[in-house]
Amino acid sequence: MGTTYGDWLKEQREVAGLTQQQLADAAIMTRTHIAHIEAGRRVPSKEDARRLDNALNTGNVLSRFLPQEDVAAADYFEAVRLLEQQAVMIREFALSFVPGILQTEGYARAVLSAGFPPVSEEERDRRLVTRLGRAAILQEPVTPMVWALLDEALLRRPVGGEDVMAEQITHIVRLAEAGRIRAHVVPFGVGHHWLLEGMLTLMWFEDQPPVAYSEGLRMGKLHDSPSVVHELRSRYDLALGEAMPTKESLALLKATARDYGHHD
């Protein structure tokens, strides 16, 4: 989403002589929500836009000209993709593939190229742009805080070949050593652990309750029930307790990259 819509909203708010908090109160929203929209980090829902139009007396302009993003993502993932951009903390568990926000171009291309049923090169490239665009949240210096809990199995599966894997693992190491993410590996030696059923993402926000997202073959589910989120967070914590500490995890990642032929 570009900032044109957000800039126009800010301009109308200032013309009306309202602070973000005053507009939030009038539109029955949170100040943080208004700030995200004005900064271009959040696309308002149709209901949000309707309430903003009413509060600012702008007719149906904000409702009519909602920004449309050229994105390519599975229907069940779209809401998660938008929440991902708003989160202040993200905790990922990955069993088969590197989490999307951490994927390099080569790794993402290999994953998307192996999908079934096959798609056209044009559609694959659209999906690739969307996938890589998600990583833009890591360009922010602090938030979201990201924890990556990786099952050792995904490190040993050479998706895209040895060079692609070496580059991908080294990318994770660099993010971790720069302090941008925390990375932990659950080693094979643990055997069964609490997250072996599939991948899991936990997200926290400034202005709404935490959510969880779980995914399996051709399906994904967003969980917002407090009891379910609590259970999944507990599973994550238990699996994290079985993982290698940061120092040892990074050592394993570096050794694995070297095994794939990366010598930097």
Side-chain angles (χ1 to χ4, degrees):
M1 169 182 176
T3 59
T4 302
Y5 186 94
D7 290 342
W8 195 84
L9 171 61
K10 180 179 180 181
E11 180 181 328
Q12 297 306 307
R13 173 178 62 77
E14 291 177 343
V15 167
L18 300 176
T19 64
Q20 288 182 340
Q21 185 60 61
Q22 289 170 331
L23 176 57
D25 292 341
I28 317 176
M29 297 163 66
T30 67
R31 187 207 62 77
T32 303
H33 195 162
I34 299 293
H36 279 314
I37 296 172
E38 290 187 355
R41 293 189 296 267
R42 183 177 296 186
V43 177
S45 68
K46 291 181 180 179
E47 179 60 21
D48 290 339
R50 184 190 66 78
R51 291 201 298 266
L52 288 169
D53 272 328
N54 288 340
L56 292 170
N57 196 28
T58 49
N60 67 348
V61 176
L62 289 162
S63 302
R64 183 176 179 183
F65 294 105
L66 276 172
Q68 300 296 316
E69 297 180 283
D70 182 20
V71 298
D75 291 343
Y76 58 77
F77 188 76
E78 180 57 15
V80 182
R81 188 187 66 82
L82 293 174
L83 288 170
E84 195 175 62
Q85 298 173 40
Q86 304 162 27
V88 295
M89 174 176 278
I90 299 174
R91 296 185 186 178
E92 298 271 15
F93 168 71
L95 180 64
S96 301
F97 299 107
V98 170
I101 59 174
L102 302 180
Q103 290 182 9
T104 62
E105 180 176 352
Y107 187 94
R109 187 181 296 277
V111 171
L112 294 171
S113 296
F116 184 86
V119 298
S120 68
E121 183 176 350
E122 179 181 2
E123 177 60 19
R124 185 200 63 202
D125 288 346
R126 288 186 65 238
R127 295 181 184 183
L128 179 64
V129 169
T130 298
R131 177 76 53 91
L132 297 177
R134 291 168 53 201
I137 60 176
L138 295 176
Q139 295 175 10
E140 296 293 330
V142 178
T143 56
M145 293 181 283
V146 175
W147 294 11
L149 182 59
L150 310 174
D151 193 284
E152 186 177 354
L154 74 84
L155 303 178
R156 304 304 183 185
R157 183 172 294 107
V159 174
E162 294 188 351
D163 289 344
V164 168
M165 285 299 297
E167 178 186 40
Q168 174 63 75
I169 295 172
T170 300
H171 175 63
I172 295 172
V173 170
R174 287 171 178 162
L175 287 171
E177 290 186 331
R180 188 58 190 84
I181 70 170
R182 289 182 58 117
H184 294 274
V185 177
V186 183
F188 281 137
V190 168
H192 181 275
H193 63 78
W194 295 94
L195 294 177
L196 269 179
E197 296 176 27
M199 65 80 65
L200 175 66
T201 300
L202 301 167
M203 291 182 280
W204 286 261
F205 310 89
E206 289 182 348
D207 58 349
Q208 57 186 310
V211 299
Y213 172 70
S214 58
E215 186 173 291
L217 186 62
R218 295 287 296 171
M219 63 180 295
K221 183 171 179 58
L222 183 65
H223 308 273
D224 57 9
S225 164
S227 62
V228 174
V229 173
H230 177 73
E231 176 193 334
L232 294 175
R233 179 181 177 182
S234 297
R235 284 175 173 257
Y236 189 99
D237 291 343
L238 287 166
L240 182 61
E242 301 282 5
M244 302 168 68
T246 299
K247 183 177 179 179
E248 287 81 351
S249 292
L250 291 182
L252 176 59
L253 288 167
K254 290 177 180 179
T256 306
R258 288 195 298 271
D259 289 343
Y260 281 122
H262 193 102
H263 302 291
D264 288 354

